[in-house]
Amino acid sequence: MATIKKLRLKSSVSHALKKIFIIILILLIGYLFYSYQISIFTKLDYTNQSSTFILFNDLKDYILTIGKNDTLNAAFSSENYREEYLEKYQDIKYFDQSNFIKNINTLLDKGYSVNDINMIFEHGNNEEVTDFAKREKVKYLEEFYSVPYAKLKNYDRYLAYSNETGEDEETTVLIVNMDLDKEDYTDYKNVTEFSIDMLVNKHRKLSDKYVPSDLVDIPTPYASTEGLQSSKIALNAFKKMYDAALKDGYGLVINSAYRSYQDQQEVCDTYKDLYGESYVTRYVAQPGFSEHQTGLSFDIGSTTSNIFIQSKEYDWMQENAYKYGFILRFPKKYASVTGFREEPWHYRYVGVKISTYMHNNSMSFEEYYAMFLDD
Ligand code: ZN
């Protein structure tokens, strides 16, 4: 009797264990299958969250025909995902912006095409696109934004300028990007990033506190007088140019270089006393708006002639300065762009890459900046 009972007990225990084992096995197989499915999509660079979304929303076959798609990945992980826009998301180029999917939705709601939206994101950052998405659908999107360096934030200014002047889109974009639709010294930008390619002009101001971090004294014979200073990187480039000129039989000299905000104020005051206010407004940069404050500008003279434009050094500089990273900053032909009449002596260090490009393509620094550097 006792033995049979024992056996029965034993068999019911093993029966229960078997059941548990089968359940665990089913769960394990299920888990492995699920992990395998997820891994199909993570291998295509979808995040775990997006991969789960794909599985649970029956998008498996759809995604398998498309493959990797960064915009869809962002959409599937976003709380702003809208099912009706699935196929539109697919054709929109991915941009790493925090309101990306939300802005796409808003722009699609406003009736922009996928091509329009790709163009919009190309020309603005997250904040600019967000602002743009809020406004009514614009009329001349493609006209202005076919120009590669057009800025989303400038749309109204482009429209106003082209309406006013009848200029074509490309010219309009360039002129507005250079702020030439604004009066000198009004509504200017404050320059807050400092590098050899910074732009300071009548629309871009340095603070009265700005002093170049690598300011050095310029020794003679490079400087015509003692006490001149400049940025070290610009001076080193000048020394190379000076040596090359000397080797060819030309004598260069620096007559003016770094000028502080206060120095420039004094220059303005002096000229005002001599020639009056309108002269100063036209020909002398206001404090903060002078390139000399960058420490990257040199007024260059010749050791052989008092009138630089008539000297052989002037010609040598025209031919060779760009090889050392210098550009003639205010040539006659760009006076309407730079806002300064011809200054044959005023050279600016921008580095060899930019000076060479500008030399080969014959353009002002304002144009170069508007096309390649401004953000
Ligand atoms: Zn100068």
Side-chain angles (χ1 to χ4, degrees):
M1 262 314 255
T3 326
I4 291 166
K5 216 177 184 178
K6 219 176 180 180
L7 274 173
R8 265 195 203 147
L9 195 68
K10 216 177 174 182
S11 106
S12 87
V13 166
S14 80
H15 199 71
L17 276 175
K18 236 183 225 167
K19 263 187 186 166
I20 291 167
F21 177 74
I22 287 166
I23 290 167
I24 290 173
L25 197 66
I26 289 168
L27 284 175
L28 188 70
I29 291 168
Y31 175 75
L32 286 175
F33 184 69
Y34 172 75
S35 304
Y36 167 72
Q37 299 266 33
I38 291 284
S39 77
I40 294 173
F41 303 108
T42 53
K43 271 183 196 149
L44 291 171
D45 277 348
Y46 289 89
T47 60
N48 277 324
Q49 196 185 344
S50 292
S51 303
T52 310
F53 185 94
I54 292 165
L55 279 187
F56 285 95
N57 288 274
D58 206 18
L59 293 166
K60 194 181 153 187
D61 293 339
Y62 176 68
I63 294 302
L64 284 177
T65 52
I66 293 172
K68 178 182 151 101
N69 185 303
D70 292 335
T71 301
L72 283 178
N73 182 40
F76 295 154
S77 300
S78 163
E79 55 180 12
N80 296 302
Y81 173 79
R82 297 247 299 266
E83 199 186 340
E84 73 264 36
Y85 290 149
L86 175 66
E87 284 177 26
K88 307 246 181 190
Y89 294 141
Q90 186 197 322
D91 292 328
I92 293 171
K93 217 176 119 194
Y94 176 71
F95 282 84
D96 186 11
Q97 298 184 358
S98 52
N99 296 344
F100 185 49
I101 299 301
K102 198 176 171 200
N103 282 336
I104 291 176
N105 294 343
T106 312
L107 292 164
L108 286 169
D109 289 345
K110 298 228 158 127
Y112 286 107
S113 71
V114 163
N115 281 343
D116 291 341
I117 293 173
N118 279 326
M119 199 171 254
I120 290 167
F121 279 102
E122 289 275 350
H123 294 270
N125 61 25
N126 184 57
E127 203 186 330
E128 289 155 1
V129 175
T130 305
D131 285 346
F132 191 84
K134 282 179 197 150
R135 63 183 296 164
E136 264 181 49
K137 191 179 182 214
V138 304
K139 218 170 161 186
Y140 303 104
L141 188 81
E142 209 183 328
E143 285 82 348
F144 292 125
Y145 296 100
S146 302
V147 183
Y149 45 88
K151 294 179 180 42
L152 202 58
K153 62 180 174 188
N154 286 348
Y155 180 82
D156 290 322
R157 287 167 64 196
Y158 296 151
L159 191 61
Y161 187 83
S162 77
N163 281 340
E164 204 176 297
T165 62
E167 285 288 1
D168 63 69
E169 286 84 10
E170 197 170 349
T171 309
T172 296
V173 167
L174 185 59
I175 294 276
V176 170
N177 281 16
M178 294 193 292
D179 294 317
L180 296 180
D181 57 331
K182 294 180 178 176
E183 294 285 321
D184 292 351
Y185 304 123
T186 54
D187 190 22
Y188 51 80
K189 290 182 189 117
N190 291 305
V191 177
T192 51
E193 278 174 40
F194 314 111
S195 55
I196 58 162
D197 56 19
M198 67 174 147
L199 175 65
V200 173
N201 61 19
K202 290 178 177 179
H203 305 282
R204 301 177 55 91
K205 184 177 190 277
L206 284 170
S207 117
D208 57 349
K209 309 273 185 312
Y210 180 73
V211 176
S213 59
D214 65 340
L215 206 58
V216 288
D217 292 331
I218 307 174
T220 51
Y222 304 111
S224 60
T225 52
E226 283 194 13
L228 295 187
Q229 291 181 303
S230 79
S231 144
K232 189 179 178 185
I233 187 169
L235 181 60
N236 286 342
F238 179 82
K239 285 177 179 174
K240 278 189 195 154
M241 183 166 69
Y242 175 97
D243 290 342
L246 203 60
K247 223 171 134 191
D248 290 353
Y250 300 90
L252 301 175
V253 68
I254 298 169
N255 289 324
S256 182
Y258 168 69
R259 290 205 289 265
S260 70
Y261 189 95
Q262 290 71 26
D263 291 340
Q264 192 65 24
Q265 184 67 63
E266 280 167 31
V267 170
C268 284
D269 294 344
T270 307
Y271 279 100
K272 202 170 151 186
D273 291 344
L274 284 170
Y275 305 112
E277 179 131 26
S278 73
Y279 178 92
V280 174
T281 313
R282 278 181 74 185
Y283 301 127
V284 188
Q286 296 293 307
F289 298 93
S290 168
E291 208 178 48
H292 281 282
Q293 198 185 335
T294 65
L296 300 167
S297 291
F298 296 118
D299 290 342
I300 290 172
S302 145
T303 55
T304 59
S305 167
N306 283 332
I307 304 165
F308 188 61
I309 198 165
Q310 291 172 5
S311 69
K312 56 182 182 148
E313 281 75 14
Y314 169 77
D315 296 328
W316 188 90
M317 286 291 285
Q318 293 259 350
E319 299 256 315
N320 298 288
Y322 79 93
K323 297 173 192 166
Y324 305 92
F326 287 92
I327 53 161
L328 178 62
R329 187 66 179 82
F330 306 117
K332 200 176 198 169
K333 61 179 167 180
Y334 301 133
S336 65
V337 170
T338 64
F340 285 99
R341 64 174 173 172
E342 184 179 26
E343 289 193 9
W345 55 84
H346 182 112
Y347 274 82
R348 158 71 195 269
Y349 181 71
V350 288
V352 173
K353 192 183 143 223
I354 297 176
S355 63
T356 304
Y357 187 93
M358 285 176 58
H359 180 84
N360 293 341
N361 293 280
S362 180
M363 65 206 303
S364 65
F365 190 42
E366 271 76 8
E367 285 171 278
Y368 184 92
Y369 195 87
M371 290 168 77
F372 303 116
L373 294 174
D374 202 5
D375 50 14

